[in-house]
């Protein structure tokens, strides 16, 4: 054999290795694609009868309600698992789901009666033991659950009998039902949790059961025949990861996917113009606002905050959202528990003359204001419009943009003057907005503006520790008014939740918190 | 050649150690707390602290790095902070897609690039040459995301000949080939342009060499002059460019993978960086570095075949 021939053989071997690596299914570990490779095949990609393909811009992080806290994971989790209570998306009232009823014999005790005859996808019966197991695991510091704080006020969870569970709290906990209707408080199968990793292989009581997950590519679910509330019409649900929104829209147009949500305002006109596509838009729970850094002395000056609020014409910004924003001054938005209509215009009105006058009188324009902005969602657009309007009033505003991870760090460390943030509010409860974002307890963590006001704290505490819901509402109304009077945050807009579906998809239920239910969806 | 391979493997070991340190250190210094990102803005301080503890992020830098290296040499690249999935598994799921895309794009690039370069060199300054050079310039200048979006609009949305995105079918099936066409063209065009320019200049240089003139004077057929005497001798710089480009493509092509919804290594890496998923960033960077060394090794071996004067023994 000549030297050249040897070289050829080596090359051939390398090429073979490369090609085998490229094509061999064996390179995918068995445990990653569970229960066989059921990724999107040619058939699935073209939408079969009772199937829905949902395009998500990112992959789920995991499929355990206890260990995740991102919206894509929640979207899958809420099809597979269920909570004891749910907020009715139309009435916004909390109703029992896996629970049958509840009572509060005293302010520290919640006795919850569970529905009977329900089983998890693995056949484990749903009972008080399962509820106790789930909540104890969520609360256990060793679990390191991202939303352990949901059940922080809980002292103990006790099994009374097969279908009755008792929750004892350390102090009266007003938002208990809202916390129990949060996706992160979904009930998991104890048997499955001990046998397998629910992050990869979830087992709940929901209308759909898990089939497979190819990380970065797709999650496949199928209908659960024994679902307690009647099996869903859809046979198969596929979440397909499509990171680029314009690609997802093209896929919807070409029929490769049948459902998108969270439509961006800069693409909404294109989507509305598509034939055979139905767009659903409705006011939602998210709120977006400008925050001041109260750690810096100058922002404790109410006149400065008033001047900035007066300089900002938020109608202009909302108009720019192409219908995907609701204008209201209120921090507690129209879809939240604790909202009142009076709060809509209770904030500082747009008054450029007043702003200019305050700037001139106090010399607010002398020191530059650092506006820190995360380069995602609509924050850049908010910042640009706000900068233009503030500059007009005489302020000297410098924008600094950052990617999300760095931004979270910088805002936690107080390295900004003003910034923009949003809050999606899964539970739809005002306490769940005011406590994390503005209460003194959370300064240095989720209260990124470091606002601290004992009077406000008292009202929020009362809203959290009062079990009577009407009384709670009053406390929230007052707390909200206090924030508006002091211009603690300048609300840019309240969110509009959106979905675009192929026009033969019927029965999609869109929740104001942006989540959705496929339980009653059919393809016609 | 055995010596070359052994030497490269030693180099690779040191290279990977160096890279792992650099990546680890830069991720450690970079702002952004993985625990805060996992917890999300709604997590309380105690929630975030519990996550941080759980991931071992409160340990000193050297302890964390030492733990990583000692696991890595035993083949354990760790678990993703975000998904708790083994890093190696996450990479293995995505790498075949990146490899398929890289090979398909290189096929497009090599075919278009060499033919264009050859034709324009042989017809220097003709209309054909000008068109080919213009094509090369356009290929380099057009951004991938724009070309990708335009191709999707024409061939997937309007004509409905090819799928918009995804890469989940085996490459040897019709669906698999259809999935590859648009991304391969999008990605291959830029490489084709670079190869074409290199092929043109390299051919022009060789074509004027004395031995080519001698071959022609001896009455050798023009096709033999071009294919045997010219092209083969012009191949060294072309192969170098192809090798480098292939190495880059194997590192994942973030934009093309994103536009065509391909589950590849580039996207894995960029998502991991955004989430400060240190083990995942480490794992994918190490893989890319190793592949680059591997591809360069192959290029070196090809040199010895093309030009017998080159020897590594």
């Amino acid at each position: 054999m000549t030297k050249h021939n040897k070289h050829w053989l080596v090359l051939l071997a390398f090429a073979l290795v490369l090609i085998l690596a490229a094509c061999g299914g064996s390179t995918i570990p068995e445990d990653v694609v569970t229960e066989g490779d059921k990724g999107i095949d040619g058939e699935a990609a073209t939408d079969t009868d009772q199937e829905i393909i949902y395009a998500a811009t990112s992959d789920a992080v995991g499929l355990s309600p206890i260990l995740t806290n991102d919206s894509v994971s929640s979207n899958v989790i809420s099809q597979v698992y269920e909570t004891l209570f749910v907020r009715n998306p139309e009435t916004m009232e909390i109703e029992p789901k896996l629970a049958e009823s509840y009572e509060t014999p005293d302010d520290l005790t919640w006795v919850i009666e569970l529905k009977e005859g329900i089983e998890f996808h693995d056949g484990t019966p749903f009972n008080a033991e399962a509820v106790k197991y789930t909540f104890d695991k969520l609360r256990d510091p060793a679990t390191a659950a991202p939303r352990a704080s949901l059940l922080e006020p809980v002292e103990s969870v006790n099994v009374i009998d097969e279908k009755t569970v008792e929750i004892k709290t350390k102090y009266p906990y007003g938002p208990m039902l809202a916390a129990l209707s949060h996706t992160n408080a979904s009930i998991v199968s104890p048997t499955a949790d001990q046998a397998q990793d629910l992050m990869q292989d979830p087992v709940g009581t929901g209308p759909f059961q898990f089939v497979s997950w190819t990380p970065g590519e797709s999650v496949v679910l199928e209908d659960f025949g024994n679902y307690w509330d009647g099996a869903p019409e859809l046979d198969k649900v596929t979440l397909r990861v499509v990171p680029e929104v314009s690609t997802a829209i093209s896929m919807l147009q070409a029929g490769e996917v049948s459902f998108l949500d969270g439509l961006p305002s800069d693409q909404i006109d294109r989507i509305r113009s598509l034939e055979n596509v139905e767009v659903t838009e409705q006011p939602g729970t998210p709120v977006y606002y400008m925050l001041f850094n109260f750690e810096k002395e100058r922002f404790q000056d109410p006149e400065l905050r008033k001047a900035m609020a007066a300089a900002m014409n938020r109608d202009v910004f909302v108009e720019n959202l192409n219908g995907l924003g609701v204008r209201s001054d209120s921090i507690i938005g129209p879809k939240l528990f604790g909202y009142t209509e009076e709060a809509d215009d209770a904030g500082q009105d747009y008054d450029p003359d007043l702003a200019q006058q305050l700037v001139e009188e106090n010399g607010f324009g002398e020191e530059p204001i650092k506006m820190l902005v995360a380069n995602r969602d609509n924050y850049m657009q908010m910042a640009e419009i706000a900068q233009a309007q503030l500059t007009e009033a005489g302020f000297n505003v410098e924008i600094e943009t950052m990617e999300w991870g760095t931004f979270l760090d910088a805002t936690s460390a107080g390295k900004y003057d003003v910034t923009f943030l949003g809050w999606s509010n899964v539970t739809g409860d005002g306490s769940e907005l005011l406590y994390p974002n503005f209460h003194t307890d959370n300064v240095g963590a989720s209260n990124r503006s470091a606002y601290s006001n004992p009077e406000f704290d008292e009202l929020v505490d009362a809203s959290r520790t009062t079990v009577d819901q009407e009384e709670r509402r009053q406390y929230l109304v007052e707390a909200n008014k206090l924030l508006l009077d002091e211009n603690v945050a300048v609300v840019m807009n309240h969110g509009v939740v959106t979905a675009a579906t192929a026009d033969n998809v019927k029965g999609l239920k869109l929740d104001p918190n942006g989540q959705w239910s496929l339980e009653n969806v059919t393809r016609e | 050649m055995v010596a070359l391979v052994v030497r490269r493997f030693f180099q690779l070991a040191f290279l990977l150690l160096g890279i792992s340190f650099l990546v680890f250190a830069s991720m450690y210094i970079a702002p952004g707390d993985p625990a805060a990102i996992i917890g999300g803005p709604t997590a309380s301080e105690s929630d975030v602290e519990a996550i941080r503890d759980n991931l071992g992020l409160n340990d000193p830098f050297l302890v964390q790095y030492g733990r990583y290296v000692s696991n890595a040499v035993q083949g354990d690249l760790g678990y993703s902070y975000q998904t708790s999935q083994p890093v190696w598994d996450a990479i293995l799921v995505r790498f075949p897609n990146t490899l398929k895309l890289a090979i398909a794009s290189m096929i497009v690039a090599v075919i278009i690039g060499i033919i264009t370069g050859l034709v324009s060199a042989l017809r220097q300054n003709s209309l054909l040459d000008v068109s080919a050079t213009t094509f090369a310039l356009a290929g380099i200048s057009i951004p991938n995301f724009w070309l990708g979006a335009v191709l999707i609009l024409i061939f997937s949305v309007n004509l409905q000949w090819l799928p918009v995105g995804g890469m989940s079918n085996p490459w040897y099936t019709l669906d698999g080939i259809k999935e590859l066409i648009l991304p391969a063209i999008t990605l291959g065009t830029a490489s084709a342009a670079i190869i074409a320019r290199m092929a043109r200049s390299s051919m022009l240089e060789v074509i004027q060499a004395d031995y080519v003139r001698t071959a022609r004077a001896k009455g050798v057929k023009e096709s033999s002059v071009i294919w045997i005497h010219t092209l083969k001798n012009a191949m060294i710089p072309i192969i170098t460019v192809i090798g480098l480009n292939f190495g880059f493509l194997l590192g994942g092509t973030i934009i093309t993978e994103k536009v065509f919804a391909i589950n590849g290594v580039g996207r894995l890496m960029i998502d991991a960086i955004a989430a400060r998923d240190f083990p995942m960033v480490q794992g994918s960077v190490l893989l890319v570095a190793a592949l680059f060394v591997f591809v360069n090794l192959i290029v070196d071996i090809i040199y010895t075949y093309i030009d017998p004067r080159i020897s590594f023994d």
Side-chain angles (χ1 to χ4, degrees), chain A residues 227-245:
Chain A
Y227 183 57
W228 60 273
D229 205 11
E233 289 282 337
L234 288 177
D235 301 329
K236 188 176 174 191
V237 175
T238 305
L239 172 145
R240 193 169 168 187
V241 183
V242 184
E244 183 59 44
V245 177

Side-chain angles (χ1 to χ4, degrees), chain A residues 3-4 7-8 10-11 14 18-19 21-23 27-29 31-32 40-42 59-61 67 69 141-149 197 199-200 213-217 240-244 247 250-251 253-254 256 270 403-406 408-409 423 442-446 448, chain B residues 1 31-33 36-45 47 50-51 54 82-85 89 92-94 96-97 99-100 103 152-153 156-157 160 162-169 171-172 175 246 257-261 263 267 274 276 294 297-298 301-302 304-305 308 311 313:
Chain A
K3 194 176 169 190
H4 283 165
H7 287 156
W8 267 118
V10 175
L11 273 180
F14 277 136
L18 280 176
I19 290 167
C23 324
T27 51
I28 300 174
D31 55 340
V32 173
I40 311 153
D41 50 24
D59 196 9
V61 168
L67 293 172
N69 189 25
T143 309
R147 285 313 311 272
S149 53
D197 182 6
M199 284 289 270
Q200 311 289 333
W213 182 13
T214 311
E217 191 152 316
R240 193 169 168 187
V241 183
V242 184
E244 183 59 44
T247 306
S250 296
M251 283 181 166
Q253 205 174 350
E256 286 177 38
R270 177 185 166 198
E403 66 77 50
W404 186 240
T406 318
L408 286 179
D409 243 25
W423 193 260
N442 293 309
V443 170
S446 50
R448 288 168 197 276
Chain B
M1 196 176 64
D33 177 2
I37 296 170
I38 293 170
T42 52
S44 75
E45 201 179 353
D47 291 338
I51 297 171
N54 196 277
Q82 282 270 307
T83 62
S84 323
Q85 192 193 9
D89 289 358
L92 282 184
V93 168
R94 288 151 177 99
N97 289 335
L99 190 55
K100 268 197 276 187
I103 291 174
I152 287 176
L153 273 182
S156 307
V157 174
Q160 305 226 337
L162 298 165
V164 176
M167 192 172 285
S168 46
N169 296 296
W171 67 273
Y172 46 81
D175 283 332
F246 191 59
E257 284 177 11
K258 209 172 162 195
V259 169
F260 289 98
N263 190 19
R267 236 175 71 196
R276 304 295 187 276
F294 182 65
L297 176 68
I298 296 180
I301 294 169
I302 296 175
T304 61
Y305 166 71
S311 166
D313 291 330

Side-chain angles (χ1 to χ4, degrees), chain A residues 56 103 231 290 352 377 402:
Chain A
E103 55 184 41
M290 186 175 87
D377 301 328
M402 279 184 183

Side-chain angles (χ1 to χ4, degrees), chain B residues 3-73:
Chain B
L4 171 75
V5 174
V6 172
R7 203 163 60 231
R8 284 293 167 88
F9 271 107
F10 273 109
Q11 282 174 357
L12 180 64
F14 282 104
L15 185 78
L16 292 184
L17 193 68
I19 288 174
S20 74
F21 183 79
L22 279 181
V23 174
F24 209 92
S26 55
M27 292 299 283
Y28 186 82
I29 298 165
D33 177 2
I37 296 170
I38 293 170
T42 52
S44 75
E45 201 179 353
S46 59
D47 291 338
V48 172
E49 192 50 43
I51 297 171
R52 204 178 286 136
D53 234 23
N54 196 277
L55 297 177
L57 293 171
N58 287 327
D59 295 337
F61 172 74
L62 283 178
V63 173
Q64 289 188 42
Y65 180 65
R67 190 167 50 215
Y68 181 81
V69 172
S70 76
N71 287 336
V73 293

Side-chain angles (χ1 to χ4, degrees), chain A residues 165-208:
Chain A
V165 68
E166 175 197 68
I167 300 177
K168 285 270 187 198
T169 58
K170 299 171 201 161
Y171 48 85
Y173 185 39
M176 175 62 95
L177 295 183
L180 296 184
S181 63
H182 196 289
T183 327
N184 291 123
S186 297
I187 311 299
V188 304
S189 159
T191 327
D193 188 49
Q194 284 155 351
Q196 66 210 47
D197 182 6
L198 294 186
M199 284 289 270
Q200 311 289 333
D201 197 355
V203 178
T205 57
F208 296 95

Side-chain angles (χ1 to χ4, degrees), chain B residues 119-130 133 200 204:
Chain B
V119 169
S120 68
L122 293 177
R123 301 271 181 275
Q124 197 189 357
N125 299 331
S126 67
L127 186 66
L128 216 62
D129 180 23
V130 175
T133 323
R200 181 178 181 272
L204 281 176

